[in-house]
Amino acid sequence: MLASEAEIDETYFGGKGKNKHVSKRQNAGVGTVGKAAVIGLREHSGAVVTMHVDKTSKAMLPRILRRP
C-alpha cells in the first residue's frame, strides 16, 4: 500500500518470438504479443509495488490505484 504521490509505468516481459520453440510462437505480430504485462508504482520515498495485469488499458488504471 502506497501512502503518497507515486509514479506508474508498465512493461512487458517475454522473449522474441524467433527464440521460442515453434509450438510456443504466436503469429499475431510483434511487440507485446505473447508477453506478460507488469505494472509498477513507485513512491518518491522509494517504496515500490509491482503487479501482473492481464491487459493494460486506460479503463484498468483506476481499479489498480484503488486496489487494497
Side-chain angles (χ1 to χ4, degrees):
M1 186 68 93
L2 300 176
S4 66
E5 288 186 23
E7 298 174 23
I8 183 170
D9 202 0
E10 83 274 355
T11 190
Y12 299 88
F13 287 90
K16 293 181 179 180
K18 69 179 184 176
N19 295 333
K20 296 179 183 179
H21 291 281
V22 174
S23 64
K24 303 278 184 181
R25 293 182 189 166
Q26 295 182 358
N27 296 325
V30 295
T32 62
V33 174
K35 296 185 180 182
V38 177
I39 298 287
L41 296 100
R42 179 184 174 270
E43 280 186 313
H44 293 284
S45 66
V48 176
V49 174
T50 61
M51 63 190 77
H52 173 265
V53 293
D54 293 329
K55 64 179 184 174
T56 58
S57 68
K58 186 177 179 180
M60 171 258 341
L61 189 58
R63 289 180 287 184
I64 287 177
L65 295 177
R66 290 189 189 112
R67 209 180 258 184

